[in-house]
Amino acid sequence: MSETLLIALEILGLGWGGVFLVLFVIYLCSFALSKLFPPKDDKGGAA
Amino acid sequence: MATEPGRLVMILIGVILMYLGIKKEYEPTLLVPMGLGTILVNIPDSGVLMTGGEAGPFQILFDMGISTELFPLLLFIGIGAMIDFGPLLSNPFLLMFGAAAQFGIFFVIIVASLLGFHIEDAASIGIIAAADGPTSIFVANSLGSQYMGAIMVAAYSYMALVPIIQPVAIKAVTTKKERQIRMEYHPGAVSQTAKIIFPVVICIIAGLIAPVSLPLVGFLMFGNLLRECGVLDSLSRSAQNELVNLISILLGLCVSVKMVYTDFLQIDTLLVMGLGLLGFVMDSVGGVMFAKILNLFRKEKINPMVGAAGISAFPMSSRVIQKMATEEDPQNFILMQAAAANVSGQIASVVAGGLVLGLLI
């Protein structure tokens, strides 16, 4: 297996996995934000 | 000119790009200036590249705006100001579809490396599948790819062709019954405070996990903060209109520097275009397959087409998905879910671009 292909596979694992990780953490934070700052807290709430 | 037929071929390509932009309205803001720019740079002794032994205007613009990566980043401020994260914040679960639909990027990097491209070029070609022109330019330039011109043409052409590419790809991997799945929409209200804090939180998270992605994420989220903070409406409107329009004009023209026939007319260019198309197809396939896998464990099924909306081409992709859903079942409305997945694709594509850079630089 060529060195380039190995790097490409590493990018697949770490890169795509990294995207999932970042978005999962953002998901958790979004969840926390909606709990911490429910719409009734301000008048400018919007769906 | 007669001794250099490549120049004539490139002039023809320039005319085709302008035709696609003007007549077919495929991304005209980019393809029209790029088309004329292609003609201008391929005229012998063109003063737009070199004049009196000094860099010409296109070259100066390229050095100022692309080599420094400023133009794509400034464009992100405008894009960020256009995005409403409300539907995503009310259904944050849909964030994960943005991640799944980046599959095409990584698939193409592997295929390109198998075809013998250097890893920097393979990664730059893969990023075409981010379906996000500025990210493609940013990554290709950062990695010093020699295929910048082809990557730009592919990225913007295929973005315009999403209504043609996605239905074919989605129908190839879904059944009619799956496309008819109805989804209940739970429109949770989102506070303005949450909308203001959200872009800041994304910057911090992306910065901690993938600091190289911060220029992309930071400019995108700055634009969104202008939109949501409520006290900078005038700046937000300027970012969405004047800034985006000005940068698009300059970007389209100066990218033509990479459309000189000696750089562009190579077999590799056709390969780059083919791989870009493959990437767009595999994005949709990745998103759909992720939704199908989730459906194995869920009681409330997801329409797998929503997964394909997790690409960055916003709002085009979500509209395509809704149109397909309506074709299968006139009473099926999945636009809001598709829109949420689609804006998630915006975040995911810049994060993917940053992570690829982080792994290679």
Side-chain angles (χ1 to χ4, degrees):
Chain A
M1 205 181 287
S2 77
E3 193 188 340
T4 308
L5 182 59
L6 281 174
I7 300 171
L9 289 170
E10 188 184 325
I11 292 173
L12 169 71
L14 295 175
W16 201 26
V19 178
F20 270 100
L21 175 66
V22 173
L23 290 213
F24 183 67
V25 176
I26 293 173
Y27 161 67
L28 294 178
C29 290
S30 309
F31 201 73
L33 276 177
S34 56
K35 294 288 172 203
L36 287 170
F37 304 101
K40 59 187 174 188
D41 279 357
D42 58 53
K43 293 173 184 171
Chain B
M1 195 116 133
T3 57
E4 294 173 300
R7 291 188 188 277
L8 290 173
V9 174
M10 286 311 294
I11 288 171
L12 184 65
I13 289 175
V15 171
I16 292 170
L17 290 178
M18 285 195 292
Y19 171 80
L20 291 175
I22 296 167
K23 201 74 182 169
K24 299 285 182 184
E25 294 187 30
Y26 291 167
E27 298 285 338
T29 45
L30 259 300
L31 292 191
V32 173
M34 208 166 153
L36 186 65
T38 302
I39 294 172
L40 294 177
V41 298
N42 282 288
I43 290 172
D45 303 319
S46 174
V48 297
L49 292 175
M50 290 289 286
T51 175
E54 303 277 324
F58 277 21
Q59 190 62 54
I60 292 171
L61 279 174
F62 187 89
D63 294 342
M64 279 173 41
I66 305 281
S67 296
T68 59
E69 288 146 10
L70 270 180
F71 285 172
L73 291 177
L74 289 173
L75 209 48
F76 265 126
I77 298 178
I79 295 169
M82 291 178 197
I83 299 175
D84 177 10
F85 285 119
L88 185 62
L89 278 166
S90 61
N91 291 278
F93 165 69
L94 293 164
L95 262 163
M96 302 319 291
F97 290 106
Q102 305 309 310
F103 174 62
I105 297 175
F106 303 99
F107 183 81
V108 167
I109 294 176
I110 291 172
V111 175
S113 64
L114 283 171
L115 288 172
F117 286 95
H118 292 296
I119 191 66
E120 288 81 6
D121 287 324
S124 303
I125 296 165
I127 291 293
I128 296 172
D132 181 342
T135 301
S136 299
I137 300 170
F138 186 88
V139 172
N141 189 64
S142 300
L143 295 176
S145 173
Q146 58 176 309
Y147 303 109
M148 172 79 91
I151 288 169
M152 276 287 295
V153 173
Y156 281 102
S157 306
Y158 297 147
M159 264 163 60
L161 292 175
V162 159
I164 297 168
I165 298 169
Q166 280 212 304
V168 176
I170 292 168
K171 282 182 180 173
V173 288
T174 54
T175 62
K176 188 176 177 68
K177 199 176 169 189
E178 285 172 328
R179 295 194 295 274
Q180 286 174 329
I181 293 175
R182 292 186 179 188
M183 292 174 72
E184 272 189 43
Y185 181 60
H186 309 288
V190 179
S191 73
Q192 198 60 29
T193 312
K195 283 183 164 188
I196 293 170
I197 296 173
F198 185 67
V200 182
V201 167
I202 289 186
C203 286
I204 294 170
I205 294 169
L208 290 175
I209 300 176
V212 185
S213 70
L214 268 184
L216 295 165
V217 176
F219 276 66
L220 186 73
M221 292 304 143
F222 171 62
N224 191 251
L225 190 59
L226 290 180
R227 174 196 176 97
E228 301 297 353
C229 71
V231 292
L232 294 170
D233 288 348
S234 158
L235 293 192
S236 170
R237 280 194 299 275
S238 296
Q240 291 179 47
N241 299 299
E242 288 85 354
L243 182 65
V244 165
N245 289 341
L246 273 171
I247 297 296
S248 296
I249 291 171
L250 298 176
L251 195 66
L253 283 176
C254 69
V255 157
S256 316
V257 166
K258 295 291 179 188
M259 298 291 283
V260 178
Y261 80 104
T262 45
D263 295 336
F264 195 87
L265 289 184
Q266 303 170 15
I267 296 292
D268 283 354
T269 301
L270 287 176
L271 273 177
V272 171
M273 303 288 287
L275 286 168
L277 179 59
L278 176 68
F280 267 66
V281 170
M282 294 314 291
D283 278 345
S284 301
V285 171
V288 167
M289 297 316 285
F290 181 68
K292 283 188 174 200
I293 291 169
L294 289 182
N295 277 346
L296 295 175
F297 307 99
R298 282 175 64 96
K299 205 172 165 186
E300 199 178 317
K301 302 295 181 198
I302 299 163
N303 188 317
M305 293 196 294
V306 169
I311 64 168
S312 181
F314 180 83
M316 200 186 291
S317 182
S318 43
R319 286 180 187 158
V320 168
I321 301 305
Q322 176 55 50
K323 189 166 173 273
M324 289 182 72
T326 313
E327 279 169 9
E328 301 292 353
D329 172 3
Q331 297 302 313
N332 195 3
F333 298 103
I334 54 172
L335 181 64
M336 293 311 286
Q337 292 92 337
N342 211 176
V343 293
S344 150
Q346 276 282 344
I347 301 172
S349 68
V350 292
V351 171
L355 283 166
V356 168
L357 280 179
L359 289 166
L360 287 175
I361 291 180

